[in-house]
Amino acid sequence: MAKVDARFRVAVLGPGAIGGLLAALFWQKGYDVFCIGKKASVVQIARDGIYLKSKFFGDLIAHPKAHTKLNEQVDVLFITVKSPFLVNAIDRIDINCIKNSVIVPLLNGVGHCEIIRSQLGSRIAVGTIGLVEAKINRKGIICHLSNNKPHIDIASASDISEELQKKIIDAVKLAGISISVLATEEEVIWSKLVRLNAIASLTAAFQKTIGTIRSDTELRLLLKEIVEEGALVARFEGVQIEPEEIVRQIDLLPKTLKTSLQRDIQRGESSELDAITGGVIKLAKIYGVSLPVHKHVYGLIKERLASLG
């Protein structure tokens, strides 16, 4: 196994549930870690550290560096903010500090890579993170609820050296996260999005756990149909997804699983709705594809939000 290179510098833009989990795991292994976020989160991290409670990794308190602006050179920048906050978050990055860095966005949905490239340049390895459920509780503790290690998929259309790519892969593995390098950026996005879109959209629309949705006859039919529609759009994006395999994966998820979109919609907060459900609908419109189930579920979510005032 590769050894930790303490000179390898990792930045995390958006130290929320997922970003904080990554920062804590990298820090625990001895990497030089920078958390970039809003003043309140930076002050809390500087004062108390990042408190992680994990069924899989155990409990720990990490003490990475925390700043409101990235003003030091780093080797890799993970972007873990949610899509509604991406544009403002990018303003926290000094472009001169990432000229030789690889940017790894781990956002859900579609549309964010174009924004990142326009603002931060082309040195991107598009990523997704899955097999992970994490949330921040009222005490500010990151609760990693999964009983397995997270998994990251990446791919890049940019000219990134094999040496730097290997360092990133080694760092991720040493942090306790599995990682795969896929053939195309589109494959990375849609391999997760077809599954995530189905479970996030339905849990948000009906405010039920995935186990309840799977066991309800009518909702299970909607689940299969929304997966099929997502796979259809993926094919127009050049990615072949088998709907039956996605449903099989969803059947293996913990029955108590809730999604971050579900929680955000329940609280009436800014969400990734238009990057996930809405993003798929937008692409389908470009391709001239009809998505009746997506539109129905999207409408239900909008109605739920409207009822919250």
Side-chain angles (χ1 to χ4, degrees):
M1 180 179 288
K3 294 182 179 179
V4 170
D5 181 357
R7 298 169 299 176
F8 189 74
R9 312 185 99 194
V10 177
V12 177
L13 177 60
I18 297 298
L21 171 65
L22 292 178
L25 295 177
F26 283 121
W27 180 89
Q28 183 187 39
K29 292 300 180 181
Y31 288 104
D32 199 3
V33 181
F34 300 79
C35 288
I36 312 301
K38 295 179 181 179
K39 184 176 180 179
S41 63
V42 165
V43 168
Q44 182 177 353
I45 292 171
R47 183 187 65 230
D48 305 324
I50 296 174
Y51 188 178
L52 172 65
K53 291 182 68 69
S54 171
K55 293 181 178 180
F56 186 82
F57 295 106
D59 298 353
L60 68 100
I61 299 178
H63 294 279
K65 298 169 185 175
H67 305 284
T68 56
K69 297 271 188 179
L70 179 62
N71 50 20
E72 295 188 51
Q73 296 282 341
V74 295
D75 295 289
V76 59
L77 169 65
F78 290 96
I79 300 181
T80 56
V81 297
K82 293 183 178 181
S83 55
F85 311 114
L86 176 60
V87 173
N88 289 337
I90 286 176
D91 289 340
R92 300 184 181 278
I93 304 300
D94 182 344
I95 193 73
N96 294 310
C97 295
I98 58 168
K99 285 184 175 180
N100 299 312
S101 310
V102 176
I103 303 165
V104 183
L106 295 175
L107 284 76
N108 293 320
V110 293
H112 54 271
C113 290
E114 294 81 359
I115 295 171
I116 294 169
R117 282 194 166 96
S118 69
Q119 298 296 314
L120 299 181
S122 62
R123 288 173 59 82
I124 291 178
V126 174
T128 59
I129 185 166
L131 301 179
V132 58
E133 183 182 5
K135 65 178 183 179
I136 300 178
N137 68 14
R138 294 179 180 177
K139 295 181 179 180
I141 298 170
I142 295 177
C143 301
H144 174 223
L145 305 174
S146 310
N147 290 313
N148 49 268
K149 66 171 62 177
H151 179 82
I152 288 177
D153 285 329
I154 61 169
S156 180
S158 305
D159 185 17
I160 298 170
S161 71
E162 290 185 10
E163 179 184 5
L164 185 50
Q165 186 179 85
K166 184 178 184 302
K167 286 184 177 181
I168 294 170
I169 292 170
D170 287 344
V172 170
K173 287 180 177 178
L174 284 168
I177 302 167
S178 62
I179 184 169
S180 298
V181 180
L182 305 187
T184 66
E185 295 179 356
E186 291 77 15
E187 185 181 358
V188 167
I189 292 169
W190 288 94
S191 292
K192 177 182 180 180
L193 183 54
V194 174
R195 179 182 67 252
L196 172 67
N197 172 59
I199 63 175
S201 299
L202 293 181
T203 57
F206 297 100
Q207 289 298 311
K208 299 178 184 296
T209 65
I210 192 59
T212 301
I213 288 169
R214 289 188 311 228
S215 61
D216 182 286
T217 302
E218 292 184 3
L219 294 182
R220 184 171 182 84
L221 178 59
L222 280 181
L223 176 66
K224 290 181 177 180
E225 291 175 338
I226 203 168
V227 167
E228 290 170 355
E229 289 184 356
L232 176 60
V233 179
R235 285 198 289 276
F236 279 91
E237 288 280 285
V239 183
Q240 185 68 32
I241 301 290
E242 296 299 332
E244 296 81 5
E245 172 59 20
I246 298 299
V247 173
R248 188 191 70 80
Q249 293 173 9
I250 293 173
D251 282 338
L252 294 175
L253 295 172
K255 64 182 180 180
T256 57
L257 184 141
K258 297 181 179 180
T259 64
S260 61
L261 180 62
Q262 176 183 2
R263 296 187 186 99
D264 289 340
I265 296 301
Q266 182 182 39
R267 295 189 291 255
E269 297 177 351
S270 295
S271 74
E272 298 170 309
L273 175 62
D274 287 324
I276 300 175
T277 324
V280 176
I281 293 172
K282 184 177 180 180
L283 279 173
K285 186 175 181 180
I286 293 172
Y287 293 123
V289 177
S290 176
L291 301 184
V293 177
H294 275 76
K295 290 181 179 179
H296 171 63
V297 172
Y298 184 83
L300 291 176
I301 296 172
K302 283 292 192 179
E303 288 177 8
R304 185 176 290 276
L305 286 172
S307 71
L308 296 174

